[in-house]
Amino acid sequence: MGDITTEQPIIEIRNLSKHFDDFEALRDITLDVHRSEVLCLIGPSGSGKSTLLRCINFLEAYDGGEVRLEGELIGWKSAGAPPRKPLSGEALRRQRQHIGMVFQQFNLWPHLTALENVAEALIHVKGLPKAEAMTKARAALAKVNLSDKEANFPANLSGGQQQRVAIARAIAMEPSVMLFDEPTSALDPELVGEVLGVMKQMAAEGMTMVVVTHEMGFAAHVADRVAFLEGGRLVTCAPPADIFGREPDDPRVNAFLKTYRERNVV
Amino acid sequence: MGDITTEQPIIEIRNLSKHFDDFEALRDITLDVHRSEVLCLIGPSGSGKSTLLRCINFLEAYDGGEVRLEGELIGWKSAGAPPRKPLSGEALRRQRQHIGMVFQQFNLWPHLTALENVAEALIHVKGLPKAEAMTKARAALAKVNLSDKEANFPANLSGGQQQRVAIARAIAMEPSVMLFDEPTSALDPELVGEVLGVMKQMAAEGMTMVVVTHEMGFAAHVADRVAFLEGGRLVTCAPPADIFGREPDDPRVNAFLKTYRERNVV
Amino acid sequence: QADMLSDIKAKGKIVAATEMHYAPFDILKDGEYQGICHDLFVEVAKELGVEAEFLDLPWQSILPGLEAGKFDFVNAPVTITAERMSRYNFTLPIGNATVALAKKAGDDSIAKPEDIAGKAVGSQKGSAQLEQLKAFSASLATPADVREYVNIDEALADLAAGRIQAVANSAPLMGYAAVQRPGLFEMVMPPFGEPKYFGWVAPGGEDAKTLIAAINDALIKMHEDGRLQAINEKWLGSNPDLPTTMPDVK
Amino acid sequence: MNFSFDVIWHNLPYMLAAARWTLLISVGGMAISLVWGVFLCAARISRGPFLSRIAALYISFFRGVPLLVQLLIFYYMLPHVGLDLPAVAAAILAVGMCSAAYTAEILRGALQTIPRGQTEAALALGIPTLSLWRRILVPQAIRIGLPSLTNELILLVKVSSLASVVGIGELTRISQNITGETYRPLEIYVAAAAIYFLINVILSALGRLAENRLLVG
Amino acid sequence: MELDLFVRYGPALLSGFGVTILCWIVGSLGGLVLGFALACLYRFGPRPLRWLIQAYVEVIRGTPFMIQLFILYFGGPHFGLLLTPVQAGIASFIIYGSPYFAEIFRSGFNAIPKGQIEAARCVGLSEGRILFRIILPQMLVPTTAPLTNFFIILTKETAILSVVTVPELLYETQTMASETFTFVEPFLVLSLFYWLMVIGTSWLGDKVERRVTRHLRRA
Ligand SMILES: Nc1ncnc2c1ncn2[C@@H]1O[C@H](COP(=O)(O)OP(=O)(O)OP(=O)(O)O)[C@@H](O)[C@H]1O
Ligand SMILES: Nc1ncnc2c1ncn2[C@@H]1O[C@H](COP(=O)(O)OP(=O)(O)OP(=O)(O)O)[C@@H](O)[C@H]1O
Ligand SMILES: [Mg+2]
Ligand SMILES: [Mg+2]
């Protein structure tokens, strides 16, 4: 790790742990994400990938360890052992403005049209004038190929269309870090290609990305590093070549990728 | 088409069309599904795949054409030009009992646990005694590797776990036709392999399946035939080898698969 | 044609409704219905040779209930007026309804009824006493500020709260209030205005005429043998001196 | 002001006895309101234009006409058409049927928040309408609507005081009567308020309990 | 039916209707706003404040309006609070309505899926903006019907104001009834006026509901 750059990582995760009641969803995760890096998180269903993402922007109040963005502790007022005090809503809001997120279940606002979903934060967070926000929102929708559906409510969009609105909503805000939770799960291969293109471009423009994905092809293609989670633990984190190469060292990773290899080498 | 068997197709779709206001979601689709066949539906996002599935069990009242299950018209009282009268709720319910469905958004019932979600229809549709229904539901959850989460409410399940509950809920009912709407979108490759195994076994036991998927590897692997939809039209329907073979005839299909091929031939 | 009296005799009981909310005629004390009207009517029922059964109803459903035949008779004290007599059958007077005033205890500015000139006085909406008060007030040099309340309770509560300086209602009620809350209310003597009487009410029309006659006979009998006086003494401490013939009403 | 606890203490037994009527009418009314309310709501949103029209009319009537008038109709008018209900039955029925109109609307509002997909999932499985309502829709609608339903039930307890117009000596009525004799309205009404408060606080606690249990999902 | 009665009492009835409408609208809108504020404080405020609000809700909601009005109007002067009938009527209306409104809004909060609020926080929307732009419009989906219900219930509670001599509709009809010894006519008029308010309210509720459920209607 740390092989990409020597400057301070943009996200530092130290000994992160998270329980749901007595279920241990994350244990002792330590991981850095560097500026402009694309980190893919892979792992079995229920291994804690979404939970990890949600801890990064403090949608889940993690109970042990630290998450730092540009050196600043996320969510809690102070590091150290629990009980800790959470930050005020306003301070948290300031932190979150730097972190965009695309949810696994999209979480669109059903009473707003596609365009309004995207424009909302542009107007009320970025403070853009309405006309400008609309132009920008339209551009974001165009990037994900959805210009013709801007007036639809989410309920009247197909699954893939909803997912693309969610992506457009996040990228329009141009945060410094983007968290994607399976951003292409509902997309067809062609669109996956397009979204991939958009992401590559964002990466080139210096955005940092953490992407949860089940599409190994996608991970192999776009990631600078791939982290493999299982049972709430970080099993390995390495460049994709090491992970997807013929036989990675770790038997668990190997087993995980087996079916994928079988099916995709048609 | 019709190359698999000469007996009557289990599902016959004739000149099916469906509008949403003035948007034409499906136009003039004619397609047969044969008994024990696995038909995969592929196509770009928004091409009408989910809508087609939903017409088959009349969750969308299609406005033109016919859908027949074992020769019986679905949903409407009579074939022919609109306006047509819809069947009574009871008659429709009888028809739907033969058709299982896994939804793209899962549509789990949030106030019931995973186990209860699966057992519900066993008790109230099949009329099984409670204990027996529970046993059966547990077996279905075990098939999708989810025994340890049976007491969780959907909100406390990961995306992939929710999807598997949805699959278990449908297969536990043992319908004669199963409609899957992207049943593996939230699953990791390993689980995709397992679900694939379950589906193959169901196919072997004679179940007919219509599967919408974006995973071409999955389609290539499991389908007897693949239908390609675009803009609400059926572009082609052929065995997977013809579609995924190096250069299929249809330029549109070709373009659609291009990115997929690029990414997966690592 | 039905005759109420024979019907009642056949049933062996008479169902009478009242609002148990007008002391000292109808009160609910210690969970039991008591008061002048109660005691009198029990005696009347004895004279009729039937059992008395009582119903408590709010005023707004008493007359509709009487008309719907939910009960036979109203043994509430209803001020006898000409307008009412044209609609219902009244019995002989059973109580004094002449209007009197109550003031806050210790209020020296009101020593006689005329002192309410220019002061705020409350009374019950729709009561005959209110009309007496209005007429009296108009006869004063500066008329009183007459306020109308839905119930007399609220008028008394407002007197206690100090929004008004006096309350006008029938003399027995004012007297009873002063007895019950001696430190709070005080009666202003004497009663004023025209003499008025309370009577009981049976449905209008011919069916009830024999019933009214029988009840009147019973009342006269009670006048004669002193039961009526005894009951009044018990509740009022004095005898109201009621007429034994129907008074003239305008 | 001389607030007299003696008066309260002395009359409390009679007020408590009267509160039994209040309770009886309330509980009976609630049962009717909840059960009948569900059916009304189902009829109101049913596809059949006839049923839904009837339900809308029912709701508009029972919400539009003051309960006092409804009670008078039940008790004083129905006998004219040969249906002579005892006073308590008339009160329970009137209170319950009126409240059902409100309950139906609360449930209708709550049902709109249940994503269509859930009904579709049930339909696709062939779950019968009755089970769909009983197992999927009503529990969730109640969960969303519980605070409003508790509101409605509390209002029902209070409105049971109107039963006095058909001659039932419930709590408010008896309190008024006692006031008419003691001339201590403040004391008596505070005591009556306390009894109502007790009943309603129990209701409200039950409502919150149910809410917490139902909100887990 | 005697029509000249209506000629005689028409002006009084109309003025009573006006007073009823005034108390109803000012009182219930005040209660609505107070209730919304309470619901928000309950949701976002610190724990002791929540207890306080809950206690307020239980006490006010748990006791009859008549008694609250009675205590405010007749008890108030003993503590130096001398209100006119209309003032007392409106004030007690606002107080009486607020806990019901608060509870209705609270139920509305429960109906919004958590994920939507998370999404709003993620793009950095302020809590106020989230409240008014994301939560409130959707909250109205399940609450418009109960809110309409309660506005309708409040129309009838105005009748209770008559006990403190607010010259509202019931007070005026009772004048008419007791002075003329008629019962059916005044109460028909009374019912008609209430009915007007009720259908007006349901009509408005319907409009609002149509508006806020726009996104749920399918093609
Ligand atoms: N609120 C919760 N309460 C209890 N358990 C939870 C809760 N949320 C998640 N879990 C459990 O935590 C584990 C990790 O969940 P998470 O959503 O992070 O998985 P994931 O890696 O994203 O899986 P998937 O690929 O299926 O989305 C799962 O086993 C899940 O059941
Ligand atoms: N209720 C609706 N009202 C209006 N348009 C709708 C509605 N439902 C779907 N559509 C439109 O119909 C088209 C087909 O939708 P459908 O959900 O069938 O797509 P799909 O092929 O399943 O796409 P995906 O792969 O993204 O799920 C889309 O363009 C969508 O916007
Ligand atoms: Mg996940
Ligand atoms: Mg779809």
Side-chain angles (χ1 to χ4, degrees), chain C residues 10-247:
Chain C
K11 275 189 299 177
K13 72 172 182 188
I14 180 164
V15 184
T18 184
E19 177 158 40
M20 300 180 185
H21 195 170
Y22 199 79
F25 295 95
D26 292 303
I27 58 180
L28 193 75
K29 192 172 184 181
D30 303 342
E32 256 179 60
Y33 174 40
Q34 305 182 4
I36 298 175
C37 285
H38 170 265
D39 293 359
L40 286 178
F41 195 76
V42 168
E43 295 300 323
V44 167
K46 267 188 209 152
E47 293 299 324
L48 296 182
V50 296
E51 212 182 303
E53 196 179 302
F54 298 103
L55 262 182
D56 172 39
L57 284 176
W59 182 245
Q60 69 255 38
S61 55
I62 285 191
L63 293 174
L66 186 69
E67 285 171 16
K70 282 279 170 182
F71 44 84
D72 308 311
F73 192 71
V74 175
N75 77 320
V78 183
T79 310
I80 304 171
T81 65
E83 192 165 20
R84 293 174 183 178
M85 275 181 66
S86 68
R87 244 178 126 114
Y88 301 101
N89 283 308
F90 274 86
T91 64
L92 287 175
I94 51 92
N96 188 339
T98 309
V99 62
L101 289 168
K103 63 173 182 180
K104 214 164 176 176
D107 178 358
D108 296 333
S109 70
I110 303 176
K112 52 185 188 306
E114 287 73 16
D115 291 341
I116 60 169
K119 295 200 161 69
V121 183
S123 186
Q124 185 174 13
K125 188 177 266 304
S127 65
Q129 288 75 23
L130 172 66
E131 301 197 348
Q132 294 288 307
L133 172 68
K134 280 181 177 165
F136 177 70
S137 159
S139 75
L140 297 171
T142 18
D145 167 15
V146 176
R147 310 245 177 107
E148 300 180 23
Y149 291 80
V150 177
N151 287 309
I152 202 67
D153 293 338
E154 281 103 37
L156 286 168
D158 238 3
L159 177 59
R163 280 198 190 82
I164 53 179
Q165 282 78 52
V167 171
N169 205 273
S170 72
L173 184 121
M174 295 290 89
Y176 195 80
V179 170
Q180 287 294 307
R181 300 293 304 269
L184 194 60
F185 304 130
E186 202 173 294
M187 194 154 162
V188 180
M189 286 312 243
F192 57 93
E194 297 165 26
K196 288 276 174 188
Y197 296 100
F198 289 126
W200 290 331
V201 175
E206 292 301 312
D207 297 4
K209 290 283 194 230
T210 50
L211 175 64
I212 289 288
I215 290 175
N216 284 347
D217 287 348
L219 284 172
I220 289 171
K221 190 168 168 207
M222 286 158 63
H223 265 285
E224 285 161 1
D225 61 20
R227 274 181 288 171
L228 192 133
Q229 288 80 352
I231 288 170
N232 275 302
E233 286 282 343
K234 172 180 160 199
W235 287 101
L236 297 172
S238 66
N239 195 333
D241 197 20
L242 298 172
T244 52
T245 53
M246 207 59 182

Side-chain angles (χ1 to χ4, degrees), chain B residues 52-73:
Chain B
L52 177 55
L53 277 203
R54 292 164 54 84
C55 284
I56 293 179
N57 65 359
F58 209 68
L59 286 178
E60 299 289 355
Y62 50 93
D63 29 52
E66 299 170 18
V67 176
R68 287 178 186 277
L69 177 73
E70 314 229 34
E72 191 183 322
L73 188 70

Side-chain angles (χ1 to χ4, degrees), chain A residues 158-159, chain B residues 50 104 181-182:
Chain A
S158 80
Chain B
S50 299
Q104 189 167 11
D181 201 348
E182 305 194 20

Side-chain angles (χ1 to χ4, degrees), chain E residues 106-141:
Chain E
R106 194 169 67 77
S107 82
F109 279 119
N110 291 341
I112 316 284
K114 253 195 359 225
Q116 288 184 32
I117 295 164
E118 290 181 346
R121 296 211 168 117
C122 278
V123 291
L125 288 179
S126 68
E127 292 300 315
R129 185 71 196 166
I130 294 177
L131 180 62
F132 285 102
R133 177 67 165 169
I134 307 298
I135 298 179
L136 189 61
Q138 293 191 74
M139 190 151 114
L140 288 176
V141 172

Side-chain angles (χ1 to χ4, degrees), chain A:
Chain A
M1 282 181 239
D3 47 4
I4 288 180
T5 164
T6 51
E7 64 175 321
Q8 193 200 24
I10 187 161
I11 300 175
E12 296 161 276
I13 301 172
R14 294 278 169 279
N15 308 102
L16 180 69
S17 68
K18 169 72 191 168
H19 292 74
F20 293 112
D21 296 324
D22 51 356
F23 180 81
E24 219 177 354
L26 292 177
R27 9 187 160 174
D28 204 30
I29 303 238
T30 296
L31 185 67
D32 283 344
V33 187
H34 300 276
R35 208 171 295 276
S36 304
E37 185 184 23
V38 177
L39 175 79
C40 278
L41 287 178
I42 64 171
S45 169
S47 57
K49 304 180 296 295
S50 299
T51 307
L52 178 55
L53 277 202
R54 292 165 56 84
C55 284
I56 293 179
N57 63 3
F58 209 68
L59 287 178
E60 299 289 354
Y62 50 94
D63 28 53
E66 299 170 18
V67 177
R68 289 180 183 276
L69 177 74
E70 313 229 34
E72 191 183 321
L73 188 69
I74 295 275
W76 299 111
K77 275 196 179 139
S78 62
R84 300 185 272 194
K85 280 214 162 135
L87 281 179
S88 72
E90 193 45 40
L92 199 55
R93 191 169 86 81
R94 208 177 29 70
Q95 292 185 336
R96 282 183 181 144
Q97 279 186 36
H98 302 287
I99 313 175
M101 176 146 184
V102 178
F103 292 83
Q104 190 167 12
Q105 339 277 17
F106 320 151
N107 290 342
L108 296 179
W109 301 309
H111 61 302
L112 303 181
T113 63
L115 186 65
E116 288 167 341
N117 261 281
V118 180
E120 181 64 22
L122 292 174
I123 302 174
H124 294 282
V125 179
K126 292 250 161 172
L128 298 186
K130 200 163 169 182
E132 194 180 330
M134 290 299 169
T135 316
K136 231 176 151 175
R138 286 208 174 86
L141 284 176
K143 267 193 196 167
V144 293
N145 233 330
L146 214 58
S147 302
D148 52 331
K149 296 285 177 184
E150 63 169 53
N152 280 35
F153 287 111
N156 298 343
L157 291 173
S158 80
Q161 289 163 347
Q162 290 179 30
Q163 188 160 41
R164 283 179 280 159
V165 175
I167 294 173
R169 178 171 70 178
I171 62 175
M173 290 295 289
E174 299 168 346
S176 39
V177 177
M178 275 287 280
L179 311 176
F180 287 102
D181 201 348
E182 305 193 20
T184 58
S185 64
L187 301 184
D188 61 81
E190 206 170 10
L191 268 172
V192 170
E194 278 176 40
V195 168
L196 194 68
V198 174
M199 288 172 68
K200 274 182 176 161
Q201 189 193 329
M202 292 195 300
E205 287 163 6
M207 192 183 282
T208 310
M209 284 181 260
V210 183
V211 187
V212 171
T213 187
H214 286 316
E215 294 209 41
M216 299 306 134
F218 185 90
H221 219 73
V222 77
D224 293 312
R225 280 184 308 151
V226 175
F228 182 85
L229 249 66
E230 176 161 52
R233 287 184 196 282
L234 181 67
V235 176
T236 178
C237 179
D242 297 0
I243 302 251
F244 295 105
R246 271 304 124 193
E247 286 283 325
D249 313 337
D250 198 299
R252 188 59 198 90
V253 181
N254 215 10
F256 181 74
L257 292 174
K258 185 162 158 279
T259 18
Y260 161 72
R261 289 216 192 82
E262 279 175 9
R263 258 183 309 114
N264 281 281
V265 182
V266 191

